[in-house]
Amino acid sequence: MDLDTDVGTTNRPRSSSGTPPPAKKARLAEENGSGDEAAAAAAGPSSAPSTVKSGGNQGQKGKGKKKRKIRRPPPPEPGTSEDVILRDVIELLGGEEAVKVLAAAGKDWESPLEKGQVLEVVVEELSSNGEAIARVPSTVSPNPWAILVPFALPGETVRVRVYANVRLHSLADLVEVVIPNEEMRDNSLMLSYDTQLQLKQRVVEKAYKNFSGLPPSLVPSILPTIASPKTYGYRTKITPHFDLPPMAKRKESDDPKKLAIGFGEKGRRKVMDIEECVIATPVLNQALPGIRENVRGKLHTYKRGATLLLRDSFQRPESDEPAAVPIDTAPNPPQADPQVPLDAISVEPPTATTSEQDGEAHVCITDYKATVRERVGDTVFEFPAGSFFQNNSSVLSPLVEYVRSAIFDSTSTPSSLTHLVDTYCGSGLFAISLAPHFEHVAGVEISQESIASAKHNAALNNLPPPSTSSTPAIRTKSLTFLAGKSETIFSSVSDFPSQNTVIIIDPPRKGCDKLFLQQLVAFKPAKLVYVSCNVHTQARDLGMLVELMKEVGEGKETYVIESLRGFDLFPQTAHVESVAVLRLVQVEA
């Protein structure tokens, strides 16, 4: 999910009824194409190509009209947002067995609704991606069918307008909230923060039910979601963008002031002009007006639209150490942040922007090659602005502390867990933050430039301490960062004793591949902590891990999930991070 397109304060007024504005096209269409074909591509599998007659002579034979084959799209990739929506729809419609009946009768693609049809429905559930799901009334359709609509909440009666039909459900715009759920909406029409946390706990629950393949007895109760200390003004990076027609189609009469610079409007292939992003940090919002002004003053220099980068950074002292990575001389870019598009450009504000936040000066960085400084507790990190680092620094200290306390719980002692491996380590967040609690620490990452940042950050924080150090609280004897691919990741730490080793996994949204998991179970660390930005692929991976242990453990050893809990890194959005803690145990005969 592109979080940058989900947030921001709109400048468009709401309707007089107080309901949110309707969306005109599906996000699925925006990402994958347009119209029904794109929406269908996100909607799931079909058993075989189907045919329809083209033209206006349907039902007539021998008139020279050929049948046009319509190829149904393949199933969505497991764990993607499209797959998650489809699983939620299937669950609402009665589960896999009910859907099999529909599919056997060829009814899973036959919508009872016409495009443009307006009807009232009662929302029953929120999808894990934040959209409302309702069932089509039995008076309209004898077969189970669902409707997906944005901006609505469970229990609300809403009027919707259908714009596309896909497998098992229709996609619709919200026309009006007829009967609101006043218990869930606050005075601003937003969800209360407590409600957001409860819904995100439900997302984790559904993920393990639908994607892990594990019996309920092996999945512990999902703990309450950990709140973000800041619910607004927390996001340290935003990437507003703008679209421009080709040079040949531009007119001198075009008013630059009318150019929309902002984020993708929900459900539309259109940029919504954003003057302020309410979840962005103060220094970013202070810099944004000047950057927008500069862009509009230089439109003639842009061949097409582009994406802007604004990143919050602690102000680096002029006499400070060299930058984390000499990016302008590096042969390859750093570990790319997936939320920084390839068309990102640097546009400076008219004047340097600084802001006093939390007792320290912050600046807005707009050059993706520049160095950003971030602080997590007492630990300082530096990294190139175009590389990946979590975008809500306010919750990182609680996250790191939670991981530490989960490792050293009542079943583990510092004397038994002496080694730590941080896989997908990036700039070294977990390896460096937790290093004082271990004797030997290794961070492994595929990107050479990210490894360079991690090594720089270790030195920046005096880790490991010199041998003459007399600080008893720091156990670290060695801290190394190694560049390696997933297929050879554990060969680099083969000297680590597995019975004394903790492994932290913090992969990208796609999760871990089978080869990585096979190496993991062969290594058999004493404890695992899986931090995920996609709880659905996390659930899938842990289900696969348990299955692989049946072979490797020979029925004598397995991993048990000790705890599962969400972390709210992105308040006011549907996104939730998830932390799973696992321990290797002996299986009782």
Side-chain angles (χ1 to χ4, degrees), residues 398-454:
L399 174 61
V400 170
E401 175 57 26
Y402 177 81
V403 171
R404 186 205 64 78
S405 62
I407 292 171
F408 298 110
D409 62 4
S410 59
T411 64
S412 308
T413 62
S415 59
S416 66
L417 298 176
T418 55
H419 292 62
L420 173 68
V421 180
D422 181 8
T423 62
Y424 307 94
C425 70
S427 300
L429 173 63
F430 288 108
I432 293 172
S433 299
L434 298 175
H437 306 285
F438 293 87
E439 294 180 9
H440 302 280
V441 179
V444 186
E445 171 63 57
I446 191 172
S447 166
Q448 291 277 2
E449 287 69 34
S450 293
I451 291 298
S453 288

Side-chain angles (χ1 to χ4, degrees), residues 89 92-93 113 117 119-121 123 125 131-137 145-149 158 160-162 168-173:
V89 167
L92 182 68
L93 295 181
L113 306 176
Q117 184 172 343
L119 69 158
E120 284 190 9
V121 293
V123 176
E125 180 67 276
E131 298 91 346
I133 313 176
R135 270 185 285 207
V136 173
W145 197 262
I147 291 182
L148 202 71
V149 61
V158 294
V160 303
R161 180 181 291 107
V162 175
L168 299 173
H169 64 289
S170 299
L171 307 175
D173 295 330

Side-chain angles (χ1 to χ4, degrees), residues 48-54 66-72:
S50 62
T51 61
V52 297
K53 291 188 176 183
S54 61
K66 295 182 179 180
K67 292 182 178 180
R68 177 170 59 88
K69 289 184 178 180
I70 297 179
R71 294 190 176 274
R72 300 302 188 194

Side-chain angles (χ1 to χ4, degrees), residues 353-367:
T353 304
T354 61
S355 173
E356 189 77 13
Q357 296 168 210
D358 303 320
E360 192 161 358
H362 287 241
V363 296
C364 175
I365 301 294
T366 60
D367 183 355

Side-chain angles (χ1 to χ4, degrees), residues 26-358:
R27 164 75 60 85
L28 305 178
E30 179 179 354
E31 295 177 349
N32 300 314
S34 60
D36 287 358
E37 181 179 356
S46 178
S47 57
S50 62
T51 61
V52 297
K53 291 188 176 183
S54 61
N57 295 322
Q58 294 187 18
Q60 298 183 23
K61 298 181 180 180
K63 298 295 184 180
K65 296 292 184 180
K66 295 182 179 180
K67 292 182 178 180
R68 177 170 59 88
K69 289 184 178 180
I70 297 179
R71 294 190 176 274
R72 300 302 188 194
E77 287 292 323
T80 61
S81 59
E82 295 83 3
D83 187 36
V84 171
I85 287 173
L86 185 59
R87 302 279 187 113
D88 286 339
V89 167
I90 289 173
E91 183 176 4
L92 182 68
L93 295 181
E96 294 286 352
E97 293 303 317
V99 169
K100 285 180 181 178
V101 173
L102 278 178
K107 301 290 187 181
D108 55 333
W109 284 90
E110 289 189 7
S111 172
L113 306 176
E114 299 289 337
K115 284 196 292 185
Q117 184 172 343
V118 177
L119 69 158
E120 284 190 9
V121 293
V122 177
V123 176
E124 297 185 45
E125 180 67 276
L126 284 182
S127 79
S128 297
N129 296 338
E131 298 91 346
I133 313 176
R135 270 185 285 207
V136 173
S138 57
T139 54
V140 176
S141 173
N143 297 315
W145 197 262
I147 291 182
L148 202 71
V149 61
F151 308 126
L153 297 173
E156 293 186 331
T157 300
V158 294
R159 183 172 293 111
V160 303
R161 180 181 291 107
V162 175
Y163 65 82
N165 294 309
V166 296
R167 184 172 184 249
L168 299 173
H169 64 289
S170 299
L171 307 175
D173 295 330
L174 177 65
V175 176
E176 180 186 2
V177 176
V178 180
I179 303 177
N181 183 338
E182 295 180 353
E183 293 182 357
M184 294 186 73
R185 293 184 185 270
D186 62 21
N187 293 333
S188 67
L189 296 182
M190 296 290 291
L191 290 170
S192 70
Y193 192 50
D194 286 343
T195 300
Q196 292 182 43
L197 296 176
Q198 293 169 13
L199 291 173
K200 293 183 181 190
Q201 182 179 3
R202 171 69 175 145
V203 169
V204 180
E205 291 172 352
K206 290 196 297 181
Y208 276 83
K209 177 181 178 181
N210 295 336
F211 287 86
S212 71
L214 295 172
S217 60
L218 297 184
V219 180
S221 298
I222 309 302
L223 297 173
T225 306
I226 297 292
S228 170
K230 296 180 180 179
T231 58
Y232 290 95
Y234 64 82
R235 189 176 175 92
T236 56
K237 179 183 70 66
I238 59 174
T239 54
H241 52 275
F242 61 93
D243 295 330
L244 285 174
M247 286 284 192
K249 295 186 178 180
R250 297 183 199 175
K251 302 176 182 178
E252 292 185 4
S253 58
D254 291 343
D255 186 356
K257 294 182 179 180
K258 294 183 179 179
L259 175 69
I261 304 173
F263 305 126
E265 191 170 337
K266 179 72 172 178
R268 300 184 183 184
R269 302 190 66 176
K270 178 182 177 182
V271 175
M272 175 176 283
D273 194 47
I274 299 295
E275 295 179 350
E276 178 187 13
C277 176
V278 296
I279 68 171
T281 60
V283 72
L284 300 189
N285 277 314
Q286 289 173 21
L288 184 58
I291 291 173
R292 286 160 50 89
E293 179 182 339
N294 271 3
V295 168
R296 287 173 170 150
K298 299 178 181 178
L299 287 186
H300 62 281
T301 65
Y302 300 111
K303 293 182 179 180
R304 57 181 182 179
T307 298
L308 310 172
L309 173 64
L310 288 78
R311 198 146 201 173
D312 188 323
S313 172
F314 285 97
Q315 192 166 27
R316 300 179 76 246
E318 293 182 4
S319 60
D320 208 353
E321 301 85 354
V325 182
I327 198 68
D328 53 344
T329 61
N332 298 304
Q335 177 196 10
D337 186 338
Q339 295 175 19
V340 178
L342 296 177
D343 65 347
I345 60 173
S346 300
V347 178
E348 293 288 341
T351 58
T353 304
T354 61
S355 173
E356 189 77 13
Q357 296 168 210
D358 303 320

Side-chain angles (χ1 to χ4, degrees), residues 516-525 545-546 548-549 552 559:
F516 175 90
L517 294 174
Q518 287 172 330
Q519 293 179 82
L520 180 63
V521 298
F523 186 83
K524 290 194 292 189
L545 181 79
V546 171
L548 290 171
M549 277 302 296
V552 175
Y559 281 100

Side-chain angles (χ1 to χ4, degrees), residues 387-408:
S387 65
F388 176 79
F389 199 84
Q390 290 289 3
N391 297 323
N392 180 355
S393 57
S394 75
V395 78
L396 292 185
S397 289
L399 174 61
V400 170
E401 175 57 26
Y402 177 81
V403 171
R404 186 205 64 78
S405 62
I407 292 171
F408 298 110

